[in-house]
Amino acid sequence: MYKRILVPVVFDDGHDTQASFEIARVLGAEDAQFTVLHVMEITPGYVSAQIPEEVLDNCRQELDGLLQKAAQALPAATPMMANGKPGRVIVDTASDLGIDCIVMASHQPGLENLIIGSTADWVVRHAHCSVHVMR
């Protein structure tokens, strides 16, 4: 059983957050610590310059609310929001927090993954802990 589990979440229809939480609970020790992480990709400057700041702030607040609510599904989970390249942020966060298992959902791979790869693929290749990927 794992003591420190990181559960990255994406708020879209292609990723099953609840199933990730269920698996994290099963893999976690009785006294496991859970961190629920959402990574916001950095918006290029030429795009963000065209979007009013209040729209970006509202988006961040909405995502933070979704993250806080999602984290309640795990006992004493710590919600965490970060900015950057998702795969790298997930791996770096796992290293910084001493995580011993990452539980993450993934979509069905398609042709585009042969060219650009997926976040789950990147995490599996670079994480220094166990990674449980579910579809």
Side-chain angles (χ1 to χ4, degrees), residues 44-117:
Y46 64 87
V47 173
S48 62
Q50 303 300 316
I51 302 172
E53 190 63 35
E54 69 183 38
V55 171
L56 295 174
D57 288 341
N58 288 342
C59 181
R60 281 186 208 101
Q61 288 175 3
E62 183 178 339
L63 286 171
D64 188 53
L66 290 170
L67 178 62
Q68 298 293 329
K69 184 177 178 183
Q72 292 174 1
L74 290 169
T78 302
M80 182 178 204
M81 180 94 69
N83 293 314
K85 195 87 168 125
R88 182 170 306 278
V89 171
I90 292 166
V91 169
D92 289 347
T93 300
S95 179
D96 293 347
L97 298 179
I99 297 296
D100 50 10
C101 184
I102 300 169
V103 176
M104 61 189 303
S106 180
H107 61 282
Q108 288 292 109
L111 186 58
E112 69 277 1
N113 295 114
L114 293 174
I115 300 166
I116 61 172

